[in-house]
Amino acid sequence: MSGLFGAIGISASGMTAERLRMDVTSENLANADSTRGADGQPYRRQEVVLQQGGQSFSDALGQAQAGVEVAGIVSDPSPGRKVYDPGHPDADAQGYVTMPNVDTVTEMTDLITESRSYEANTQAMQTAKQLYLKTLDLLR
């Protein structure tokens, strides 16, 4: 039965992954000006790492669902930008504040891409559902 509904499962895994990516991107945008986190450092941009599902030998034999999986959430290692603001409480001795390494234009572009990917997976799921219903109608 998993083979019959595999397309729905693959679309569902893509929707789950894109939803997580949208959540992480939203968190990045919300913290774009956070100069001090719990560790005392500026916020670090987060990224979701995805991988192909179904990579083992048993998966290749059709025992597990294919699709996409979240491999993890990692911090972007790029440095933050320096802004001259000597009155800021997090300014260094020269008056510079290290800002998070979040670029709002990049984050908004990512958010649009993630939203469109989510919509594409939703459409693929709807198409698969319609095909399954047509098949059931033919079998009656």
Side-chain angles (χ1 to χ4, degrees):
M1 206 60 158
S2 68
L4 179 62
F5 295 105
I8 290 177
I10 291 169
S11 294
S13 72
M15 290 170 66
T16 301
E18 293 303 333
R19 176 65 188 177
L20 179 62
R21 289 181 64 208
M22 285 189 275
D23 289 345
V24 170
T25 300
S26 297
E27 181 181 333
N28 289 341
L29 284 168
N31 289 294
D33 293 324
S34 298
T35 58
R36 188 184 311 172
D39 61 356
Q41 298 297 315
Y43 178 80
R44 306 284 305 166
R45 178 178 185 266
Q46 304 292 308
E47 296 177 302
V48 177
V49 178
L50 302 176
Q51 67 183 15
Q52 176 183 346
Q55 295 180 350
S56 71
F57 183 70
S58 64
D59 295 340
L61 295 176
Q63 302 298 317
Q65 190 73 13
V68 66
E69 298 173 351
V70 175
I73 299 174
V74 298
S75 293
D76 182 351
S78 63
R81 65 188 189 285
K82 298 274 189 176
V83 175
Y84 184 72
D85 187 0
H88 195 283
D90 293 326
D92 61 14
Q94 290 80 29
Y96 286 95
V97 179
T98 303
M99 300 300 288
N101 59 346
V102 176
D103 178 28
T104 55
V105 173
T106 301
E107 298 303 321
M108 289 304 296
T109 304
D110 287 349
L111 198 55
I112 291 168
T113 303
E114 295 153 1
S115 176
R116 288 188 179 162
S117 295
Y118 187 90
E119 290 171 9
N121 279 300
T122 302
Q123 185 61 43
M125 184 181 283
Q126 290 296 329
T127 301
K129 182 178 117 181
Q130 290 171 355
L131 290 173
Y132 296 143
L133 290 174
K134 293 275 187 198
T135 302
L136 289 173
D137 285 343
L138 289 173
L139 294 175
R140 288 185 189 169

